[in-house]
């Protein structure tokens, strides 16, 4: 299905309409049928903008351990922002466990409902109310009832272990191989003689480009592996945010699955944005990273990005990568740039084909956008996402495309690249930072339904990008697609999670 999204006019630019693929016709039909089902026979027959409520987690007849975080979906064909404008402060979502009311949250809050539960069988239902306590208001809409089981810690661990064994039996013993760190991998690839030779070798040689107008010199890694040139630029460039040391096993999984040379479309280029190797890292670490860059044709960007590798500097990493693309004589001729986490499986060939079919577009900034929800800056200095008022004085964040995966047209990338010195970020919040930067040119995030996260919703077959995955899950998805199975065949939220 195609949807037309109006974009605000920019100064000196004509208004444009952006066409983005959100869901296939089959997926839309499924959502519509689900809405009809869960919204049928509500306790009180009241006309509502919402058509249905759907619990995503817990899944029907699934097994979990306590505490359990519930996830849900609001099913509506109306504009989501219009729905939130109408319902904010007037509608509440209430969770019922085993027939007992547990928690109610305002519909716009986006608060995660987490409950501690005893082991055994349970049921859950989500209800829309016009009061913060269900007893005081009307129950306007309800989801289907979900039956699930809570296991003890030991039983849950045994369940996950068995699920992993089942995956090995179905998908092959290669999934059972130990994940290596970059240094261990480096040692395994070289003989003692080669290691000694590598220790004396010079670092990876970088090419440079001199701007004839300004004299600026821009370094570039060797990219022979990709075979593109100024006369044959890529259509889509994907920058994977990768930890330079700890992200090696994810880089290897990506290189052997969705970004493998045999699988990746010729008009798509993938880079791993990793920043510099820490100065205090052992010499062998520097050698291992240099060897990785040599073996894989320079797809790992370290010294070419002027940033330190840490969560606190994640925004700088993204900004440096976008500047890298925007100033490269080949990459800046691309049409789109995508930013992704290292735990994302991307159907890059399908995404590129869909974008190419739409022709050249401008002012594109799109991804997983939770429209209508209110997200507040974290003011607790003990929390990971702490953001002091001195850095961000406003009470709310603007709408933004969530960090695991978002897409931009090259004109948007060029704006960030041209102003990369002046643009200031919010530490590790690269997604919010990008949204704030683009407000300056009135480019706002557009929601892409095929961009999802495992911890937010179960796998569905029409996805283009799925985040929060472990390396085993990436191999399973790759095997599914190569064998003609559904994208989500064998999905298990516990074993597919990146922290499993």
């Amino acid at each position: 299905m195609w949807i037309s999204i109006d974009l605000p006019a920019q100064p000196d630019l004509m208004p444009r309409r952006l066409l983005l693929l959100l869901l296939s016709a089959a997926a839309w039909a499924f959502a519509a049928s689900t809405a009809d089902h869960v919204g049928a026979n509500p306790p009180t027959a009241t006309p509502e903008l919402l058509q249905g409520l759907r619990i995503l987690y817990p899944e029907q007849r699934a097994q979990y351990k306590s505490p359990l975080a519930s996830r849900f979906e609001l099913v509506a064909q109306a504009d989501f922002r219009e729905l939130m404008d109408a319902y904010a402060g007037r509608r509440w979502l209430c969770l019922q466990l085993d027939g007992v009311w547990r928690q109610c949250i305002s519909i716009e809050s986006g608060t995660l409902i987490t409950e501690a539960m005893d082991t055994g069988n349970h049921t859950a239902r989500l209800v829309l109310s016009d009061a913060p306590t269900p007893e005081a208001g009307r129950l306007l809409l309800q989801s289907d009832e979900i039956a699930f089981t809570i296991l003890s810690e030991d039983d849950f661990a045994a369940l996950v272990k068995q699920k992993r064994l089942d995956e090995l039996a179905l998908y092959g013993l290669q999934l059972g191989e130990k994940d290596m760190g970059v240094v261990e991998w480096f040692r395994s690839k070289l003989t003692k003689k080669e290691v000694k030779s590598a220790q004396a070798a010079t670092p990876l040689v970088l090419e440079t480009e001199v701007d004839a107008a300004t004299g600026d010199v821009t370094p570039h890694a060797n990219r022979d592996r990709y075979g593109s040139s100024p006369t044959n630029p890529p259509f889509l460039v994907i920058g994977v945010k990768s930890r330079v040391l700890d992200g090696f096993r994810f880089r290897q999984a990506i290189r052997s699955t969705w970004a493998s040379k045999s699988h990746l479309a010729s008009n798509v280029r993938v880079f791993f944005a990793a920043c510099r190797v820490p100065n205090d890292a052992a010499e062998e670490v520097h050698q291992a990273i240099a060897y990785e860059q040599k073996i894989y044709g320079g797809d790992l960007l370290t010294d070419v990005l002027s940033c330190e590798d840490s969560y606190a500097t994640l925004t700088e990493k993204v900004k440096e990568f976008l500047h890298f693309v925007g100033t490269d004589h080949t990459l800046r001729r691309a049409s789109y740039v995508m930013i992704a986490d290292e735990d994302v499986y991307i159907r890059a060939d399908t995404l590129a084909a869909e974008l190419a079919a739409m022709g050249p577009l401008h002012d594109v900034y799109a991804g997983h956008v939770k429209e209508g929800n209110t997200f507040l800056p974290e003011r607790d200095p003990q929390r990971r996402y702490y953001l002091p008022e001195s850095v961000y004085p406003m009470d709310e964040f603007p709408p933004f495309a969530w960090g695991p995966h978002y897409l931009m047209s090259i004109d948007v990338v060029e704006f960030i690249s041209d102003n990369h010195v002046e643009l200031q970020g919010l530490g590790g919040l690269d997604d919010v930072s990008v949204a704030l930067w683009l407000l300056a040119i009135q480019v706002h995030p557009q929601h892409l339904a095929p961009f999802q996260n495992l911890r937010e919703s179960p796998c569905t077959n029409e996805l283009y990008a799925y985040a929060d995955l472990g390396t085993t899950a990436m191999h399973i998805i790759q095997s599914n697609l190569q064998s003609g199975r559904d994208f989500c065949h064998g999905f298990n939220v516990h074993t597919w999670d990146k922290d499993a």
Side-chain angles (χ1 to χ4, degrees):
M1 176 191 171
W2 298 86
I3 186 167
S4 177
I5 302 176
D6 288 312
L7 292 180
Q10 296 185 28
D12 302 321
L13 293 176
M14 293 295 291
R16 305 183 181 101
R17 294 182 67 84
L18 170 64
L19 295 177
L20 292 176
L21 180 68
L22 295 185
L23 286 173
S24 65
W28 179 262
F30 172 79
S33 64
T34 303
D36 291 341
H37 181 61
V38 300
N41 301 318
T44 302
T46 303
E48 289 291 333
L49 294 176
L50 270 179
Q51 291 193 318
L53 303 174
R54 181 184 174 206
I55 294 178
L56 301 176
Y57 291 128
E59 296 177 272
Q60 190 72 265
R61 293 181 295 279
Q63 296 170 306
Y64 302 88
K65 66 177 180 178
S66 181
L68 176 64
S70 299
R71 301 281 187 176
F72 52 85
E73 179 182 36
L74 308 180
V75 183
Q77 291 195 26
D79 180 85
F80 204 76
R81 283 167 289 192
E82 176 187 347
L83 184 148
M84 286 298 172
D85 287 342
Y87 280 178
R90 299 179 58 243
R91 294 291 185 270
W92 286 262
L93 296 169
C94 300
L95 180 66
Q96 189 180 61
L97 292 177
D98 303 323
V100 178
W101 298 113
R102 301 296 286 263
Q103 290 190 52
C104 290
I105 61 171
S106 59
I107 196 170
E108 74 276 9
S109 73
T111 301
L112 187 64
I113 299 179
T114 302
E115 287 283 344
M117 286 175 279
D118 295 333
T119 58
N121 296 325
H122 297 273
T123 60
R125 188 189 299 276
L126 191 69
V127 173
L128 181 72
S129 172
D130 62 0
T133 54
E135 298 86 351
R138 295 177 301 157
L139 306 185
L140 306 174
L141 202 62
Q142 65 181 11
S143 72
D144 283 342
E145 186 175 77
I146 302 296
F148 62 99
T149 302
I150 294 294
L151 301 177
S152 67
E153 288 279 352
D154 290 343
D155 288 344
F156 182 79
L159 171 71
V160 172
K161 181 179 180 180
Q162 184 58 52
K163 291 288 186 182
R164 287 175 177 155
L165 292 174
D166 293 343
E167 289 172 350
L168 291 178
L170 178 61
Y171 293 100
L173 293 177
Q174 70 274 12
L175 296 183
E177 294 178 358
K178 179 182 177 183
D179 284 324
M180 291 185 178
V182 65
V183 172
E184 185 180 3
W185 169 82
F186 174 57
R187 292 171 179 168
S188 74
K189 294 296 181 182
L190 300 177
T191 65
K192 291 183 179 180
K193 182 178 179 180
E194 288 171 326
V195 169
K196 186 175 181 179
S197 175
Q199 290 173 345
T202 56
L204 179 71
V205 176
L206 301 176
E207 301 171 358
T208 60
E209 177 190 8
V210 180
D211 189 305
T214 65
D216 292 341
V217 178
T218 304
H220 302 287
N222 173 17
R223 305 184 187 108
D224 291 343
R225 173 177 181 245
Y226 300 93
S228 59
S229 67
T231 58
N232 183 32
F235 175 75
L236 171 64
V237 176
I238 300 176
V240 178
K241 296 174 284 185
S242 181
R243 297 163 294 169
V244 65
L245 301 182
D246 295 337
F248 176 74
R249 65 189 184 95
F250 284 94
R251 294 196 292 271
Q252 290 296 77
I254 290 172
R255 287 170 177 143
S256 60
T257 58
W258 63 265
S260 62
K261 192 171 183 179
S262 61
H263 189 76
L264 196 66
S266 60
N267 63 347
V268 180
R269 294 271 292 275
V270 177
F271 293 97
F272 297 98
C275 296
R276 292 184 290 263
V277 179
N279 291 330
D280 58 354
E283 181 61 28
E284 190 177 22
V285 172
H286 287 272
Q287 294 165 3
I289 294 297
Y291 185 74
E292 180 187 355
Q293 291 172 308
K294 179 180 179 181
I295 291 297
Y296 293 106
D299 64 356
L300 175 61
L301 305 179
T302 55
D303 292 347
V304 296
L305 304 182
S306 182
C307 54
E308 302 298 329
D309 188 38
S310 71
Y311 171 75
T313 58
L314 188 56
T315 299
E316 287 299 309
K317 175 183 289 189
V318 170
K319 186 170 65 172
E320 283 295 314
F321 175 75
L322 296 177
H323 181 59
F324 170 78
V325 173
T327 55
D328 183 271
H329 64 294
T330 298
L331 301 181
R332 67 190 180 200
R333 291 174 170 82
S335 295
Y336 297 93
V337 176
M338 181 176 179
I339 300 295
D341 282 352
E342 61 190 8
D343 55 41
V344 178
Y345 188 100
I346 302 173
R347 299 171 86 164
D349 52 345
T350 304
L351 176 61
E354 293 291 352
L355 291 170
M358 291 186 284
L361 298 174
H362 301 279
D363 303 336
V364 176
Y365 165 45
H368 184 71
V369 182
K370 293 192 174 182
E371 296 176 312
N373 290 131
T374 301
F375 293 97
L376 310 178
E378 177 58 66
R379 301 305 191 192
D380 183 352
Q382 303 302 317
R383 306 294 291 272
R384 183 185 187 191
Y385 301 107
Y386 170 60
L387 197 60
E389 288 188 70
S390 59
V391 175
Y392 187 80
M394 291 177 281
D395 294 330
E396 298 179 5
F397 289 137
F400 60 93
W402 279 47
H405 31 48
Y406 50 96
L407 182 73
M408 292 172 282
S409 53
I410 196 65
D411 59 306
V412 171
V413 172
E414 288 173 347
F415 165 76
I416 295 175
S417 176
D418 292 344
N419 297 279
H420 78 287
V421 175
E422 293 80 11
L423 294 173
Q424 300 300 308
L426 301 178
L429 302 178
D430 65 292
D431 44 12
V432 179
S433 298
V434 169
L436 288 168
W437 297 339
L438 298 185
L439 283 176
I441 55 173
Q442 290 299 298
V443 172
H444 304 284
Q446 308 294 312
H447 180 60
L448 290 177
F451 285 32
Q452 294 291 340
N453 310 324
L454 175 144
R455 294 178 178 178
E456 293 280 331
S457 61
C459 186
T460 55
N461 292 320
E462 68 274 6
L463 295 176
Y464 287 177
Y466 199 37
D468 300 328
L469 300 177
T471 57
T472 296
M474 292 185 190
H475 285 286
I476 290 175
I477 293 172
Q478 183 76 2
S479 176
N480 286 342
L481 297 178
Q482 289 180 332
S483 302
R485 294 187 291 263
D486 287 342
F487 182 92
C488 301
H489 181 78
F491 171 72
N492 183 279
V493 64
H494 306 307
T495 59
W496 282 32
D497 190 284
K498 62 183 177 182
D499 291 335

